[in-house]
Amino acid sequence: MLTVAASLDEGQFVVVRDQAGPRTLTHRTGAELAASLSDLPLYGRDLRLWLAGPVDPGDQPWLHAYCGELAEVSGARVWAPPPGAWAELLDGCLDLGVRAPGGRTASWREYPPDGAEPGSFVSDADGRLVPAGGARVRQVGGVRVVAVPPGRDPVSAERFDSVWMRPGLSNVELITLDDGRLAVPYTDGSLLAVGGEELARLLRDTGWIDEDLCLLSAVTTTQAAAAEAHLRALATVLGVDIYLRTPDTNLSIQDGHPRAVWPDGRPATWHRMTPPGLAASQPRWSSDDGWLEPVTQVAARADHAAVTHPSAIEPFDPPGYEETRWDQPELVDAEPDARRSGLDWLPRPTPVNAAPLWLWVSSSAPAARAHTEGVPAAELFLLGRVDRDHEDPSWAAHDVQLLVEPGAAVAAARVTAYAPERLRERLAAPGTYLIPAGWLDRARLPAPGETLDGRPRPDDGAAGDPVVLQCVGAAHGVAGVPEDVVTWPHRRHARAYAVHPARGATSEFVPVLRRRPTPTGGYRLLELDVPGDVAIDVPASAARLAELPLVRSRLPDFARDGLDLLLPRPFLDQVTVSRAFVAERGAWRAVAVPDLTLDELLVG
C-alpha cells in the first residue's frame, strides 16, 4: 500500500514542484499524475489518495474520472474517499480513516485497473483500509479478545481459560507494537494498530455491551506514553474506561482473575484511562492489592477492616451467640466454586458450611407453593436462618425449610463487608446464611410427607425437589426481574430512542432502543438523554441469568420478544427528551420537542 497526499483544484490534481527553481503549483489529469509518480513502483500495488478535505461538488466528477484514469495508466488499484468525504489521521492508531459530514465513518472507494484480481484490502469499521481477510483474534475463557501475533505459540493464550467473566468489566489482550500502540494481527500476517470502532465491533461479536476494559497486554516504560495516548483515544470512541497495569509489571492469573504484580511478586497498580471530560466522574473499579475490584467492594473492605475469615474449619460464633439457642454450624474457607454463583461480590475464599445444614427461609407466599412456583426473592440468593423457634421478631415468617449440602450456604455475617450497601444490614444478623442462585441445585425442599415439627436432622429423611428462586419485589418495580441486573449506560449519559405512542409500554416500564429504528408512519421518535445505570439491559441481563437455571424470571421472555432496554417507571423522571422526529417519506424529520413530561409522552 502506497499513500499519496493529493488535492483537487479547478478539476485537476495539484502537484507541487520545487526542484531547480522557485516553488510552483501545476495541475495534472489522472494520466499526468501517473507520469509524475513514475519513480514509484505502482504497477500491481494499491495506491491510497489522502484527500485532506471534502472535494468541491463541481470537482467530484473529475475526481472520479481521474482516479479511473490513474488506475489504468499506472496499473495500480486506486483508493479515494467517496463523494462528500475526506481522509483524516485518526487519533491513537495514527492511520487514515475516511470521514463523512457529521464525523460519520465512511468507506474508501475503489478504482481497480481493467482485468485486476480481487483486491487485498477492504474498509473496516473505522473507515481504514485493512487486509481483506480481517483481524485474527479469538475469545479464550473470560478474555473477550485475545490477539495472538504471528510466531507466538497459540497455546500460550490457553492460560486465559481459567479467567472468569465479570459483569461490567471485560478483559482484552492486544499486541503492543514497538512504538507502544496496541494492535491486532490480520490473516495476511500483518499487525495494525487497532481503531476504536473496529475494537468495538470485535468486542460486540463476543457479547460485549459497553463494559469497561481491562487490558492484559504488557507495556514497557518506553512504550507507556504512546500506549496511554492510544488507550485514551480508544476510550473516547468506546465511551468506557480502560485499565492498564503499571509498565514493566507481570500478569498473574489467580482465583480466576488477572492480578498485576512486580517481578518480585509484590502487588502492582492498575491505571485508569478515561475518555476526555469523564476524568472527574466516579470510577467503577479500583486497584486493590494488584486486583481490579468494584469501588464499592474496596470501600466496604476499608470500612470493615476488622472483618476476617476463618482460616480452617472452626465454629461460627456470631455476636450475642450466648443469648441464643441457635446451633453452631461448622465453617470452612472454600475456594470459589467453578460454577457462577450469581453474586460477583463474594470474597475469595468463601466461608461456607462444612456439613449439611437445615435453614429456615422467609417467604411471602405459602410454603406449599414453593414446590410449584419457587421461593420469592428480589436478590439472586435466598436468605435463611438456623433459628428453629422463630424467636427473632425481625424475622417475620420462616415459611420454608431447606436442606443445604456442604459448601452451598455462605455465612452471611462473614461476607457483609464485601456486599453492596443495600444488603449489609440484612446480612449482618447472627445465624444468617445465604444460598447463591447458582448453587441452588444443592439446596432441597423437604420430601413430601417429611415432618417439619421440631428441627429435623439430615438423616431424618431424604430431601425432595431442588429449590427454585422466583424473581419478585425488586426496587426498580419490574415484576419478574431480579434486583441485580446489568444496567445501561455505563457512562454518565447516553442517547437512546423511544417510539411514541410507546409500543410495549406497561405500568412497570417503557421499552427503549440504543439505535434509531426504521421510520414508521404514524409514530413520533423521541431521542432521550439517559443518565448512567438507569435502564435495564435486557440481552446482557438475560445472558447472565442463562447461567442460573434455577432462577425464574421474565428476562428470557423479554429477550425473545426483541426488547433492548427497559426504563423502569420509577426512573422516568431522570430521563429527558433532547430531540423529536416524525416519519416522512421513509426518513425521520426533526420537529419541535413536545411540551410534555417524559412520563406523559411514553406511557400516558
Side-chain angles (χ1 to χ4, degrees):
M1 170 81 67
L2 297 173
T3 302
V4 171
S7 60
L8 216 64
D9 181 55
E10 298 180 1
Q12 292 186 316
F13 290 112
V14 177
V15 176
V16 179
R17 298 185 62 87
D18 57 5
Q19 298 177 354
R23 184 173 182 270
T24 60
L25 300 178
T26 59
H27 294 74
R28 296 285 187 268
T29 64
E32 291 170 340
L33 179 59
S36 300
L37 301 175
S38 59
D39 291 341
L40 298 176
L42 295 180
Y43 186 80
R45 304 286 292 277
D46 288 82
L47 177 62
R48 179 173 57 178
L49 295 181
W50 183 353
L51 301 180
V55 176
D56 185 273
D59 289 337
Q60 191 64 54
W62 294 110
L63 175 65
H64 179 68
Y66 288 156
C67 284
E69 190 177 271
L70 175 60
E72 288 304 317
V73 173
S74 67
R77 185 183 305 270
V78 176
W79 299 87
W86 63 93
E88 68 179 29
L89 192 65
L90 303 181
D91 290 338
C93 66
L94 304 182
D95 197 359
L96 290 181
V98 176
R99 291 292 178 267
R104 294 179 294 107
T105 299
S107 298
W108 291 86
R109 187 168 186 173
E110 180 183 10
Y111 297 87
D114 285 344
E117 297 292 329
S120 302
F121 294 91
V122 295
S123 295
D124 72 356
D126 289 285
R128 304 160 60 203
L129 283 176
V130 298
R136 186 180 182 181
V137 299
R138 57 196 178 107
Q139 182 175 0
V140 181
V143 184
R144 292 195 182 275
V145 171
V146 177
V148 181
R152 191 178 102 180
D153 182 6
V155 178
S156 64
E158 301 306 322
R159 67 181 180 132
F160 295 137
D161 271 335
S162 61
V163 176
W164 299 359
M165 285 283 192
R166 302 183 72 180
L169 184 69
S170 290
N171 299 304
V172 297
E173 192 202 36
L174 304 173
I175 299 166
T176 307
L177 299 177
D178 291 342
D179 63 7
R181 291 176 298 155
L182 288 310
V184 294
Y186 283 78
T187 53
D188 67 346
S190 61
L191 298 177
L192 293 182
V194 69
E197 297 290 354
E198 185 66 12
L199 180 58
R201 186 191 67 79
L202 295 173
L203 286 165
R204 290 194 178 100
D205 287 346
T206 68
W208 173 83
I209 305 178
D210 297 334
E211 295 175 308
D212 290 337
L213 301 184
C214 175
L215 182 69
L216 307 183
S217 311
V219 173
T220 66
T221 301
T222 56
Q223 297 169 330
E228 291 180 9
H230 191 182
L231 290 176
R232 286 194 170 89
L234 294 175
T236 299
V237 176
L238 298 174
V240 301
D241 290 339
I242 304 179
Y243 291 86
L244 171 72
R245 69 180 191 269
T246 301
D248 299 322
T249 57
N250 297 330
L251 184 73
S252 175
I253 307 299
Q254 300 178 22
D255 296 329
H257 298 296
R259 190 184 189 200
V261 295
W262 291 98
D264 62 3
R266 291 179 296 115
T269 303
W270 294 90
H271 302 277
R272 178 191 182 203
M273 307 293 125
T274 192
L278 294 184
S281 66
Q282 177 66 33
R284 289 174 291 274
W285 302 91
S286 177
S287 183
D288 183 59
D289 198 35
W291 310 95
L292 268 180
E293 301 284 6
V295 167
T296 53
Q297 182 170 313
V298 175
R301 269 202 295 271
D303 293 341
H304 298 76
V307 177
T308 58
H309 297 293
S311 57
I313 296 179
E314 61 180 35
F316 174 45
D317 189 9
Y321 172 77
E322 296 78 4
E323 290 77 32
T324 72
R325 295 165 52 192
W326 296 322
D327 290 341
Q328 267 194 96
E330 289 183 325
L331 294 181
V332 61
D333 269 354
E335 290 302 314
D337 193 290
R339 298 169 304 166
R340 182 167 174 264
S341 68
L343 306 178
D344 299 296
W345 47 264
L346 284 179
R348 306 177 298 268
T350 310
V352 293
N353 58 316
L357 180 65
W358 284 93
L359 293 177
W360 290 97
V361 175
S362 177
S363 173
S364 59
R369 288 164 54 182
H371 287 269
T372 56
E373 300 179 13
V375 179
E379 305 288 346
L380 292 176
F381 60 80
L382 295 180
L383 206 59
R385 298 281 291 277
V386 294
D387 171 24
R388 63 178 174 180
D389 294 326
H390 306 198
E391 293 178 345
D392 184 354
S394 67
W395 200 268
H398 300 264
D399 297 323
V400 180
Q401 199 171 28
L402 303 178
L403 173 60
V404 187
E405 296 177 9
V410 180
R414 304 277 182 161
V415 300
T416 301
Y418 305 95
E421 188 172 357
R422 69 176 189 275
L423 302 175
R424 293 176 192 169
E425 184 176 353
R426 295 174 59 197
L427 299 183
T432 303
Y433 288 80
L434 65 87
I435 309 168
W439 303 348
L440 288 175
D441 60 335
R442 287 189 269 160
R444 299 277 172 174
L445 294 161
E450 183 180 0
T451 177
L452 297 181
D453 294 337
R455 182 167 177 86
R457 305 304 303 171
D459 55 357
D460 286 346
D465 300 327
V467 66
V468 171
L469 188 154
Q470 182 186 25
C471 295
V472 172
H476 50 63
V478 182
V481 177
E483 187 74 53
D484 187 8
V485 291
V486 179
T487 55
W488 183 93
H490 297 309
R491 49 188 183 271
R492 290 191 299 178
H493 288 270
R495 181 187 308 145
Y497 298 92
V499 176
H500 174 62
R503 291 177 287 190
T506 70
S507 60
E508 303 170 316
F509 64 85
V510 172
V512 297
L513 302 166
R514 268 171 277 226
R515 299 187 182 279
R516 185 184 297 185
T518 303
T520 305
Y523 287 91
R524 179 179 294 174
L525 181 68
L526 304 177
E527 184 179 289
L528 309 176
D529 183 28
V530 183
D533 299 320
V534 163
I536 297 174
D537 189 323
V538 172
S541 298
R544 288 183 61 189
L545 284 191
E547 302 176 34
L548 307 175
L550 292 177
V551 174
R552 299 291 178 263
S553 168
R554 294 167 68 193
L555 282 168
D557 295 332
F558 290 155
R560 281 192 293 270
D561 292 342
L563 295 182
D564 185 14
L565 302 170
L566 303 183
L567 280 178
R569 187 67 178 267
F571 304 145
L572 290 184
D573 60 351
Q574 301 181 38
V575 181
T576 57
V577 179
S578 55
R579 292 197 296 174
F581 306 85
V582 295
E584 190 175 277
R585 297 180 180 178
W588 291 112
R589 180 177 63 82
V591 295
V593 175
D595 187 19
L596 292 172
T597 66
L598 182 61
D599 195 34
E600 292 171 330
L601 279 170
L602 298 183
V603 183

